[in-house]
Amino acid sequence: MSYAVIARYHCAPADEATVRAALLKVREHTRAEPANLAYEVHVEVGEPGSFVLYEQYVDQAGFEAHKVAEHFKELIVESVWPLLTERSVTFAEVL
């Protein structure tokens, strides 16, 4: 059973371009990870600074490996998270 992650990120509209650029770079790296099945970046229509990420991995271990990847640390932990005003994450198993 594959493992899915749905993350909602909100930042100030002034930081939207920076967050968008970092998320698109992360997408490139993450899609190359062996356990990644999907990584999609969405912006919420009519909500400046609001993003929805959909990620799917072979299993939870694949997601855990993603979280310790250098690109995750550099682009998400160090670049994106400090700019967020709100963040929520949902974990799910794909049926």
Side-chain angles (χ1 to χ4, degrees):
M1 197 172 323
S2 60
Y3 191 75
V5 180
I6 301 97
R8 292 184 177 278
Y9 289 174
H10 301 279
C11 66
D15 294 323
E16 182 175 5
T18 301
V19 171
R20 177 192 300 251
L23 293 175
L24 293 176
K25 284 183 186 176
V26 169
R27 180 179 70 185
E28 289 178 41
H29 292 288
T30 303
R31 286 180 173 176
E33 294 173 13
N36 181 261
L37 300 172
Y39 191 97
E40 300 296 338
V41 179
H42 310 271
V43 312
E44 289 190 48
V45 175
E47 294 292 328
S50 295
F51 299 89
V52 177
L53 307 178
Y54 177 78
E55 307 171 41
Q56 191 175 350
Y57 299 87
V58 172
D59 53 20
Q60 186 174 355
F63 174 67
E64 297 301 328
H66 166 69
K67 292 191 328 187
V68 298
E70 187 59 34
H71 60 267
F72 183 86
K73 178 184 176 214
E74 177 188 332
L75 294 166
I76 297 296
V77 176
E78 296 174 357
S79 299
V80 171
W81 286 356
L83 298 177
L84 299 181
T85 57
E86 186 178 337
R87 174 172 68 108
S88 66
V89 181
T90 301
F91 303 101
E93 291 181 344
V94 178
L95 299 178

